[in-house]
Amino acid sequence: GPPLSGKTTALRTWALALAHSYPPERVALLLIDFQQRFFKYGGAHTLADLPHVLDAVSEKEQLGAAVEKLKYEYLTRRDNGARPELFVLVDNYDDWPNVVGSGTRATEYGELAELARKFGPEGLHFVIGGSLGILRAMDDLMKQVISPRFGLGLDSGDAPGALGGRVRGGGSEEFPPGRGYIVKAGRVALVQTGLPHDESDLEGSLDRWVDEIAAFYPQRAQWYRDTHPPQPAEAPSGPVAAPAK
């Protein structure tokens, strides 16, 4: 959607709703925003303090480390087969070319796209927020994310149209922040995103959400790599031949 259409608020609502509804062993979150405004809202806490959050990424180096942890998470077998649904929530995707690099050169796009393709059916979900320009860029990750033809366009016409939806009336109406159309396979449905905060006390109300959720779920989500680190390679067994003189 366009600026001030409610993209960041919608992502915050999504993160808080998931964290409030499911324990960390069932739902884990990876938050990515190179501007940090998605998870740093100016309060005493940040959304990274939610027990469901594995990492909050705001630098290119952190993204590279998170990609490696995601690969380990899904390419390494778990002894008991248990793995939470993992939501990668990305805000301000328009910043990626400047921070990560172009979609044709930086390897992170292709690596994340491959993980999304292979493990989407196993519970790896990507939710990406940005302007209409991210749909025109069409890097490997965006191609994979929009392939199900499902999204939320936060205005009365242009955004749902870019997602393949057809809105009656030409979309000339001005919408309040958070209102738009869910688009699924070309069909549209009007929605209003709920606000997770009181407009007169944004920081305090979001802090109260974080406190309540953290008190209800004292156990934090953890990367599989952190709880089951790679084992060092074993030294070769048997005698070692002496070097020839």
Side-chain angles (χ1 to χ4, degrees), residues 10-159:
L11 284 170
R12 286 176 182 161
T13 299
W14 197 304
L16 290 168
L18 286 169
H20 187 266
S21 302
Y22 301 98
E25 59 266 24
R26 289 191 58 192
V27 166
L29 306 175
L30 172 60
L31 313 181
I32 305 176
D33 180 12
F34 295 120
Q35 296 185 25
Q36 304 185 54
R37 291 183 298 184
F38 168 28
F39 41 84
K40 289 188 176 181
Y41 49 82
H45 300 306
T46 75
L47 293 189
D49 295 323
L50 290 169
H52 303 67
V53 174
L54 297 166
D55 274 320
V57 172
S58 59
E59 300 291 341
K60 176 179 170 61
E61 294 74 19
Q62 294 175 319
L63 178 64
V67 170
E68 291 305 311
K69 289 179 180 179
L70 274 172
K71 289 161 66 175
Y72 194 86
E73 192 83 12
Y74 285 92
L75 298 174
T76 302
R77 180 174 179 174
R78 291 173 176 265
D79 296 336
N80 59 3
R83 183 190 291 122
E85 299 271 324
L86 203 161
F87 291 80
V88 182
L89 305 182
V90 183
D91 199 7
N92 297 303
Y93 192 72
D94 303 77
D95 294 336
W96 279 49
N98 293 329
V99 178
V100 182
S102 71
T104 57
R105 294 184 179 181
T107 60
E108 289 87 350
Y109 297 93
E111 290 174 316
L112 290 171
E114 186 67 5
L115 287 168
R117 182 187 67 82
K118 285 184 176 180
F119 300 107
E122 296 184 24
L124 177 59
H125 312 282
F126 285 79
V127 183
I128 296 179
S131 72
L132 301 186
I134 66 175
L135 298 175
R136 293 190 291 269
M138 289 303 290
D139 57 70
D140 288 341
L141 179 56
M142 281 306 303
K143 289 178 183 177
Q144 183 59 42
V145 168
I146 68 171
S147 61
R149 300 179 66 197
F150 181 82
L152 172 60
L154 287 174
D155 66 13
S156 62
D158 291 342

Side-chain angles (χ1 to χ4, degrees), residues 185-202:
R187 297 185 176 183
V188 298
L190 182 65
V191 296
Q192 173 66 54
T193 305
L195 290 178
H197 58 263
D198 184 336
E199 290 282 18
S200 64
D201 184 21
L202 183 148

